[in-house]
PDB file of all heavy atoms in Angstrom:
ATOM      1  N   GLU A 356       6.299  -3.396   6.442  1.00  0.00           N
ATOM      2  CA  GLU A 356       6.843  -3.899   7.657  1.00  0.00           C
ATOM      3  C   GLU A 356       5.738  -4.081   8.681  1.00  0.00           C
ATOM      4  O   GLU A 356       5.937  -4.822   9.676  1.00  0.00           O
ATOM      5  CB  GLU A 356       7.877  -2.992   8.285  1.00  0.00           C
ATOM      6  CG  GLU A 356       9.021  -2.708   7.326  1.00  0.00           C
ATOM      7  CD  GLU A 356       9.860  -1.418   7.616  1.00  0.00           C
ATOM      8  OE1 GLU A 356       9.490  -0.680   8.506  1.00  0.00           O
ATOM      9  OE2 GLU A 356      10.893  -1.282   6.929  1.00  0.00           O
ATOM     10  N   ASN A 357       4.578  -3.420   8.543  1.00  0.00           N
ATOM     11  CA  ASN A 357       3.440  -3.562   9.418  1.00  0.00           C
ATOM     12  C   ASN A 357       2.404  -4.587   9.088  1.00  0.00           C
ATOM     13  O   ASN A 357       1.409  -4.716   9.863  1.00  0.00           O
ATOM     14  CB  ASN A 357       2.737  -2.154   9.548  1.00  0.00           C
ATOM     15  CG  ASN A 357       3.627  -1.166  10.136  1.00  0.00           C
ATOM     16  OD1 ASN A 357       4.701  -1.408  10.753  1.00  0.00           O
ATOM     17  ND2 ASN A 357       3.262   0.102   9.907  1.00  0.00           N
ATOM     18  N   TRP A 358       2.495  -5.307   8.021  1.00  0.00           N
ATOM     19  CA  TRP A 358       1.606  -6.299   7.636  1.00  0.00           C
ATOM     20  C   TRP A 358       2.324  -7.594   7.260  1.00  0.00           C
ATOM     21  O   TRP A 358       3.476  -7.564   6.896  1.00  0.00           O
ATOM     22  CB  TRP A 358       0.668  -5.868   6.615  1.00  0.00           C
ATOM     23  CG  TRP A 358       1.207  -5.645   5.217  1.00  0.00           C
ATOM     24  CD1 TRP A 358       1.608  -6.753   4.314  1.00  0.00           C
ATOM     25  CD2 TRP A 358       1.441  -4.461   4.522  1.00  0.00           C
ATOM     26  NE1 TRP A 358       2.127  -6.147   3.229  1.00  0.00           N
ATOM     27  CE2 TRP A 358       1.957  -4.891   3.245  1.00  0.00           C
ATOM     28  CE3 TRP A 358       1.205  -3.229   4.679  1.00  0.00           C
ATOM     29  CZ2 TRP A 358       2.308  -3.897   2.159  1.00  0.00           C
ATOM     30  CZ3 TRP A 358       1.461  -2.210   3.705  1.00  0.00           C
ATOM     31  CH2 TRP A 358       2.115  -2.645   2.534  1.00  0.00           C
ATOM     32  N   SER A 359       1.502  -8.658   7.209  1.00  0.00           N
ATOM     33  CA  SER A 359       2.051  -9.955   6.721  1.00  0.00           C
ATOM     34  C   SER A 359       1.123 -10.292   5.491  1.00  0.00           C
ATOM     35  O   SER A 359      -0.118 -10.342   5.682  1.00  0.00           O
ATOM     36  CB  SER A 359       1.887 -11.057   7.787  1.00  0.00           C
ATOM     37  OG  SER A 359       2.685 -10.691   8.863  1.00  0.00           O
ATOM     38  N   PRO A 360       1.833 -10.526   4.372  1.00  0.00           N
ATOM     39  CA  PRO A 360       0.914 -10.926   3.261  1.00  0.00           C
ATOM     40  C   PRO A 360       0.388 -12.342   3.539  1.00  0.00           C
ATOM     41  O   PRO A 360       0.967 -13.198   4.196  1.00  0.00           O
ATOM     42  CB  PRO A 360       1.886 -11.033   2.057  1.00  0.00           C
ATOM     43  CG  PRO A 360       3.301 -10.704   2.613  1.00  0.00           C
ATOM     44  CD  PRO A 360       3.116 -10.306   3.988  1.00  0.00           C
ATOM     45  N   VAL A 361      -0.946 -12.525   3.173  1.00  0.00           N
ATOM     46  CA  VAL A 361      -1.578 -13.781   3.402  1.00  0.00           C
ATOM     47  C   VAL A 361      -2.030 -14.299   2.222  1.00  0.00           C
ATOM     48  O   VAL A 361      -2.624 -13.690   1.231  1.00  0.00           O
ATOM     49  CB  VAL A 361      -2.867 -13.582   4.423  1.00  0.00           C
ATOM     50  CG1 VAL A 361      -3.556 -14.783   4.687  1.00  0.00           C
ATOM     51  CG2 VAL A 361      -2.341 -12.840   5.774  1.00  0.00           C
ATOM     52  N   ASP A 362      -1.795 -15.608   1.969  1.00  0.00           N
ATOM     53  CA  ASP A 362      -2.257 -16.326   0.826  1.00  0.00           C
ATOM     54  C   ASP A 362      -3.523 -17.182   1.180  1.00  0.00           C
ATOM     55  O   ASP A 362      -3.548 -17.969   2.019  1.00  0.00           O
ATOM     56  CB  ASP A 362      -1.183 -17.390   0.376  1.00  0.00           C
ATOM     57  CG  ASP A 362      -1.552 -17.998  -0.980  1.00  0.00           C
ATOM     58  OD1 ASP A 362      -1.909 -17.328  -1.958  1.00  0.00           O
ATOM     59  OD2 ASP A 362      -1.521 -19.220  -1.055  1.00  0.00           O
ATOM     60  N   VAL A 363      -4.685 -16.716   0.517  1.00  0.00           N
ATOM     61  CA  VAL A 363      -5.971 -17.375   0.698  1.00  0.00           C
ATOM     62  C   VAL A 363      -6.440 -18.004  -0.630  1.00  0.00           C
ATOM     63  O   VAL A 363      -6.741 -17.323  -1.541  1.00  0.00           O
ATOM     64  CB  VAL A 363      -6.977 -16.353   1.360  1.00  0.00           C
ATOM     65  CG1 VAL A 363      -8.277 -17.053   1.459  1.00  0.00           C
ATOM     66  CG2 VAL A 363      -6.561 -15.704   2.573  1.00  0.00           C
ATOM     67  N   GLN A 364      -6.308 -19.257  -0.654  1.00  0.00           N
ATOM     68  CA  GLN A 364      -6.716 -20.074  -1.813  1.00  0.00           C
ATOM     69  C   GLN A 364      -6.119 -19.497  -3.178  1.00  0.00           C
ATOM     70  O   GLN A 364      -6.679 -19.203  -4.119  1.00  0.00           O
ATOM     71  CB  GLN A 364      -8.279 -20.056  -1.980  1.00  0.00           C
ATOM     72  CG  GLN A 364      -8.966 -20.750  -0.829  1.00  0.00           C
ATOM     73  CD  GLN A 364     -10.470 -20.833  -0.900  1.00  0.00           C
ATOM     74  OE1 GLN A 364     -10.997 -20.025  -1.739  1.00  0.00           O
ATOM     75  NE2 GLN A 364     -11.090 -21.414  -0.039  1.00  0.00           N
ATOM     76  N   GLY A 365      -4.793 -19.208  -3.038  1.00  0.00           N
ATOM     77  CA  GLY A 365      -3.986 -18.816  -4.181  1.00  0.00           C
ATOM     78  C   GLY A 365      -4.050 -17.244  -4.460  1.00  0.00           C
ATOM     79  O   GLY A 365      -3.489 -16.775  -5.367  1.00  0.00           O
ATOM     80  N   GLU A 366      -4.801 -16.510  -3.698  1.00  0.00           N
ATOM     81  CA  GLU A 366      -4.899 -15.102  -3.847  1.00  0.00           C
ATOM     82  C   GLU A 366      -4.106 -14.393  -2.725  1.00  0.00           C
ATOM     83  O   GLU A 366      -4.072 -14.847  -1.519  1.00  0.00           O
ATOM     84  CB  GLU A 366      -6.326 -14.625  -3.693  1.00  0.00           C
ATOM     85  CG  GLU A 366      -7.185 -15.072  -4.787  1.00  0.00           C
ATOM     86  CD  GLU A 366      -8.663 -14.546  -4.690  1.00  0.00           C
ATOM     87  OE1 GLU A 366      -9.067 -14.167  -3.714  1.00  0.00           O
ATOM     88  OE2 GLU A 366      -9.406 -14.562  -5.763  1.00  0.00           O
ATOM     89  N   GLN A 367      -3.492 -13.295  -3.069  1.00  0.00           N
ATOM     90  CA  GLN A 367      -2.658 -12.501  -2.187  1.00  0.00           C
ATOM     91  C   GLN A 367      -3.442 -11.487  -1.472  1.00  0.00           C
ATOM     92  O   GLN A 367      -4.024 -10.690  -2.132  1.00  0.00           O
ATOM     93  CB  GLN A 367      -1.351 -11.998  -2.813  1.00  0.00           C
ATOM     94  CG  GLN A 367      -0.505 -12.920  -3.490  1.00  0.00           C
ATOM     95  CD  GLN A 367       0.162 -13.755  -2.394  1.00  0.00           C
ATOM     96  OE1 GLN A 367       0.707 -13.195  -1.491  1.00  0.00           O
ATOM     97  NE2 GLN A 367       0.257 -15.037  -2.575  1.00  0.00           N
TER      98      GLN A 367
END
Side-chain angles (χ1 to χ4, degrees):
E356 298 162 356
N357 297 342
W358 72 68
S359 297
V361 178
D362 184 54
V363 178
Q364 298 177 348
E366 294 182 339
Q367 297 292 311

